[in-house]
């Protein structure tokens, strides 16, 4: 199994940029981090440093590519590997109109042979692991047959791991947001694939909201990938290393994590970027604590100013109580 693959944070457009990943690394030293999806055309022809540049603190970090042309994917994978990524992942799960028009993402579930060709080309181009993130099927496909066909193709091509979002994608009639919630979850389908292919490194994604959910899934598969929960409630990442890897977290609590993260923030500010570029990813860090709303409000207003700096971040943190609310209060806040 890939190092750190036991727990990973999902690639999420507009969210998991380099600053988000650096912040998440301050909370977990072992979680595997993924970039937002970048298309082959953007990598080959665009501003590579802007698209692919990352901080060394992010390792282990994987790049997710979108595309369906084997030669282009091989070239983009080679470029990403030269940047130092630890893994190259192929998106076979995004259902947006944009990816459908480009014949990649979830619509590739209908073309498993092509996905296999893409993996073969990428494997020949790089020495780092090549993985695929897919759905259990699209539209009226039978999830049993569709996922088996995809798995057969990528395993034959030598894939190093498969991440299964345990939902179908509906390419017509549902928006990308609805496709993350409306199709029912079927973790059992991923578990059956793992049972049928015990040597295939298999991770599951979709609907995981707590580390309790994560541990339940790890009884069936090799790894889990958490998306929105990790982003909206990033403090959960502080428990990943102790619970899943038997190692101490990088920081004992969210307050210490912010303090340890300050040098990175200072570097971003020195480069000319605004504080908000980083702190927009931190708004949920203190959820459940008294003062968390004031923290979010301060960063959402004062953090947007052109002159916002580390003192702005420190002032926001100072609004949060260091006393943990008891379970009753937390449960009431979660239900609100």
């Amino acid at each position: 199994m890939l190092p750190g693959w036991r727990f990973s944070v999902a690639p999420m457009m507009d969210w998991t940029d380099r600053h988000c990943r650096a912040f998440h690394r301050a909370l977990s030293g072992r979680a595997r981090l993924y970039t937002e999806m970048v298309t082959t055309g953007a990598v080959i022809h665009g501003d590579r440093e802007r698209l692919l540049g990352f901080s060394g603190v992010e390792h282990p970090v994987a790049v997710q590519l979108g595309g369906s042309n084997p030669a282009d994917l091989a070239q983009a994978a080679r470029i990403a590997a030269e940047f130092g990524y630890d893994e190259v992942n192929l998106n076979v799960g995004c259902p947006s109109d944009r990816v459908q028009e480009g014949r990649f993402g979830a619509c590739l579930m209908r073309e498993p042979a092509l996905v296999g060709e893409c993996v073969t080309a990428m494997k020949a181009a790089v020495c780092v692991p090549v993985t695929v993130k897919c759905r259990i099927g699209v539209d009226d496909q039978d999830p049993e047959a569709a996922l088996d066909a995809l798995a057969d193709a990528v395993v034959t091509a030598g894939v190093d791991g498969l991440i299964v979002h345990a939902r179908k994608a509906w390419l017509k009639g549902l928006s990308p947001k609805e496709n993350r919630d409306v199709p029912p979850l079927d973790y059992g389908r991923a578990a059956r694939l793992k049972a049928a292919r015990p040597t295939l490194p298999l991770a599951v994604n979709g609907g995981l909201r707590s580390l309790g959910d994560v541990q339940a899934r790890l009884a069936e598969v090799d790894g889990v990938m958490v998306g929105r929960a990790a982003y909206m409630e990033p403090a959960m990442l502080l428990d990943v290393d102790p619970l899943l890897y038997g190692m101490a977290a990088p920081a004992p609590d969210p307050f210490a994590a912010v303090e340890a993260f300050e040098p990175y923030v200072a570097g971003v500010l020195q480069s000319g970027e605004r504080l908000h570029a980083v702190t927009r990813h931190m708004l949920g860090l203190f959820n459940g604590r008294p003062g968390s709303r004031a923290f979010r409000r301060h960063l959402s207003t004062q953090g947007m100013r052109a002159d916002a700096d580390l003192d702005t971040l420190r002032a926001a943190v100072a609004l949060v109580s260091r006393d943990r609310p008891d379970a009753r209060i937390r449960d009431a806040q979660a239900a609100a």
Side-chain angles (χ1 to χ4, degrees):
M1 189 168 66
L2 304 179
W5 218 49
R6 186 169 171 80
F7 182 96
S8 58
V9 179
M12 291 175 279
M13 292 301 295
D14 299 321
W15 285 2
T16 52
D17 63 17
R18 66 181 75 185
H19 300 321
C20 175
R21 299 191 304 267
F23 171 53
H24 286 172
R25 181 59 69 222
L27 303 171
S28 170
R30 295 298 302 273
R32 200 168 189 87
L33 306 177
Y34 284 75
T35 69
E36 305 166 89
M37 181 188 70
V38 288
T39 64
T40 53
V43 171
I44 294 169
H45 305 293
D47 183 343
R48 295 174 185 175
E49 180 56 38
R50 181 181 64 81
L51 292 166
L52 296 176
F54 67 94
S55 168
V57 304
E58 296 176 38
H59 290 293
V61 59
V63 62
Q64 186 182 67
L65 297 178
S68 60
N69 180 287
D72 289 348
L73 280 164
Q75 184 177 354
R78 188 180 302 110
I79 293 167
E82 290 170 353
F83 265 79
Y85 283 96
D86 301 294
E87 172 193 336
V88 179
N89 178 264
L90 176 62
N91 185 319
V92 186
C94 180
S96 75
D97 292 341
R98 174 169 161 255
V99 301
Q100 292 181 58
E101 291 169 0
R103 194 191 171 199
F104 61 99
C107 62
L108 286 174
M109 290 297 300
R110 296 193 181 114
E111 300 186 76
L114 176 58
V115 177
E117 292 173 16
C118 292
V119 171
T120 296
M122 296 162 72
K123 288 283 294 179
V126 300
C127 294
V128 298
V130 173
T131 62
V132 169
K133 185 174 187 288
C134 68
R135 294 281 184 139
I136 60 173
V138 295
D139 297 337
D140 58 356
Q141 282 186 322
D142 174 3
E144 300 297 325
L147 188 56
D148 277 349
L150 190 284
D152 287 345
V154 298
V155 167
T156 299
V159 78
D160 294 291
L162 185 64
I163 305 162
V164 177
H165 185 156
R167 284 188 175 96
K168 271 190 172 185
W170 289 95
L171 303 180
K172 301 296 181 184
L174 292 181
S175 69
K177 181 179 184 299
E178 290 169 329
N179 262 296
R180 293 192 293 267
D181 295 300
V182 174
L185 285 160
D186 187 355
Y187 296 126
R189 180 64 190 95
R192 290 192 295 278
L193 180 63
K194 178 61 186 178
R197 291 187 171 277
T199 61
L200 171 64
L202 184 71
V204 70
N205 168 237
L208 299 164
R209 293 183 169 83
S210 70
L211 289 184
D213 293 341
V214 166
Q215 290 173 310
R217 301 280 69 82
L218 285 173
E220 304 168 338
V221 295
D222 303 302
V224 292
M225 176 178 276
V226 177
R228 284 167 291 168
Y231 188 88
M232 303 304 292
E233 304 281 345
M236 74 178 291
L237 297 177
L238 285 169
D239 294 325
V240 166
D241 293 4
L243 288 180
L244 301 183
Y245 295 97
M247 299 175 62
D253 58 41
F255 298 95
V258 173
E259 187 174 346
F261 192 50
E262 284 190 2
Y264 178 88
V265 179
V268 172
L269 293 172
Q270 289 170 2
S271 74
E273 289 192 76
R274 292 192 177 186
L275 181 70
H276 178 68
V278 181
T279 57
R280 72 185 185 95
H281 303 298
M282 303 172 66
L283 298 180
L285 181 61
F286 295 104
N287 286 353
R289 291 178 182 267
S292 61
R293 182 175 298 178
F295 169 81
R296 293 193 299 271
R297 184 185 305 115
H298 191 84
L299 287 183
S300 297
T301 55
Q302 300 305 309
M304 295 286 289
R305 294 168 56 98
D307 61 350
D309 57 14
L310 279 177
D311 286 338
T312 308
L313 174 58
R314 292 166 182 155
V317 173
L319 297 169
V320 183
S321 171
R322 291 179 177 265
D323 296 325
R324 283 183 176 272
D326 62 33
R328 178 182 57 80
I329 296 173
R330 289 199 304 270
D331 290 345
Q333 289 172 335

